Amino acid sequence: MKLKKKVKRTILFIIIIIFIILGIAIYKGFNKQEKVKEVKIVNEIKEYNYKLKENKPKKYKEMFNELKIILSKEDIDEEAYVKKITEMFIYDFYSLNDKVAKTDVGGLDFVYDEIISNFLQNAENTYYKYIESNIYNNRKQSLPVVSNISVEDIEKKEFAYGKENDENAFYVTVSWTYTDENFSDYQKNAILIFIHDNKKLCLVELQ
């Protein structure tokens, strides 16, 4: 009889210990989720709906400030404008090291609203496909960072999209390098086509 009571107490003790361990694990899990920091907007160009997030690299922040100066002038130099957003798009889209997941696609501020959905899907299924999550800042994966960007040519000509037509669309030829030679076989040149959406220039095609 005494033996049975001892066994029951031992089993009860083990069950209590298990519940305590599970409780600690669940608490830690919730606590870890709470530590995921919400990314804040630290600067913006309201008339163009361009927003700068606090987690962007220093180089991108500098380009954002340069764009803000270009767009603050009374007479906008469209070539300077399109050149700057080309550099910003290339840097933000092709640099993956600062992205937290494959859904964190760069350069969206510059993409035409009507094609964003397709653009995101294509990016997530191709260039961004193998990015490991870095929500808790513990990723070990090596990812590319764009280094030098060279806008080689800017040409204005007609571009038709759907039922619309922009006679003064910008065709921008650009090339770039990466900070790490391990990514030298990644894409390093492209043609970007920007159309007018009122006073804003929007990327409508990436070749």
Side-chain angles (χ1 to χ4, degrees):
M1 197 73 176
K2 289 182 179 179
L3 183 61
K4 286 185 178 180
K5 283 184 178 180
K6 191 173 183 180
V7 170
K8 285 181 180 179
R9 286 177 182 173
T10 302
I11 292 171
L12 183 61
F13 178 74
I14 292 170
I15 291 172
I16 291 170
I17 293 297
I18 290 171
F19 273 107
I20 291 172
I21 292 170
L22 285 173
I24 293 170
I26 291 168
Y27 172 78
K28 284 184 175 179
F30 280 122
N31 196 40
K32 195 174 185 182
Q33 288 180 356
E34 288 173 0
K35 288 180 182 177
V36 178
K37 190 178 179 182
E38 184 180 344
V39 179
K40 295 180 182 178
I41 303 299
V42 294
N43 202 350
E44 61 184 318
I45 307 172
K46 292 183 179 180
E47 291 183 30
Y48 293 81
N49 199 30
Y50 295 141
K51 296 177 181 179
L52 178 64
K53 295 179 180 178
E54 65 177 345
N55 63 340
K56 288 298 181 186
K58 181 181 177 183
K59 184 173 180 177
Y60 186 85
K61 289 177 179 177
E62 290 172 352
M63 288 191 283
F64 190 94
N65 289 331
E66 291 165 359
L67 176 64
K68 196 167 188 176
I69 292 170
I70 291 169
L71 296 178
S72 67
K73 296 180 180 178
E74 189 173 340
D75 295 318
I76 305 298
D77 182 343
E78 282 202 328
E79 284 208 6
Y81 174 21
V82 79
K83 181 180 179 183
K84 186 54 59 182
I85 60 176
T86 294
E87 293 171 347
M88 294 174 73
F89 173 83
I90 294 298
Y91 186 83
D92 198 25
F93 182 79
Y94 289 99
S95 293
L96 301 182
N97 194 54
D98 64 312
K99 308 303 186 290
V100 296
K102 76 170 191 175
T103 53
D104 185 17
V105 177
L108 295 183
D109 272 0
F110 312 110
V111 177
Y112 189 44
D113 284 344
E114 292 185 15
I115 69 164
I116 279 184
S117 180
N118 286 337
F119 183 85
L120 274 170
Q121 186 176 14
N122 289 335
E124 290 171 20
N125 291 332
T126 55
Y127 192 65
Y128 282 67
K129 186 174 183 178
Y130 299 106
I131 296 179
E132 297 172 4
S133 173
N134 195 36
I135 293 175
Y136 303 117
N137 294 315
N138 58 358
R139 182 172 60 203
K140 306 298 182 183
Q141 185 181 21
S142 179
L143 293 167
V145 177
V146 171
S147 178
N148 298 314
I149 304 167
S150 176
V151 175
E152 297 171 356
D153 185 57
I154 300 175
E155 184 179 3
K156 286 179 81 171
K157 58 183 179 180
E158 187 177 358
F159 182 82
Y161 53 103
K163 295 180 181 179
E164 304 297 325
N165 190 61
D166 189 344
E167 295 182 354
N168 293 301
F170 284 95
Y171 288 67
V172 185
T173 303
V174 59
S175 63
W176 62 94
T177 59
Y178 296 96
T179 56
D180 192 329
E181 290 185 2
N182 289 329
F183 302 104
S184 59
D185 58 342
Y186 277 46
Q187 184 176 352
K188 296 189 290 291
N189 53 71
I191 295 175
L192 282 62
I193 302 174
F194 292 89
I195 58 171
H196 292 82
D197 184 12
N198 295 317
K199 63 181 180 180
K200 187 176 180 179
L201 291 173
C202 299
L203 179 67
V204 73
E205 193 168 309
L206 174 63
Q207 301 176 351

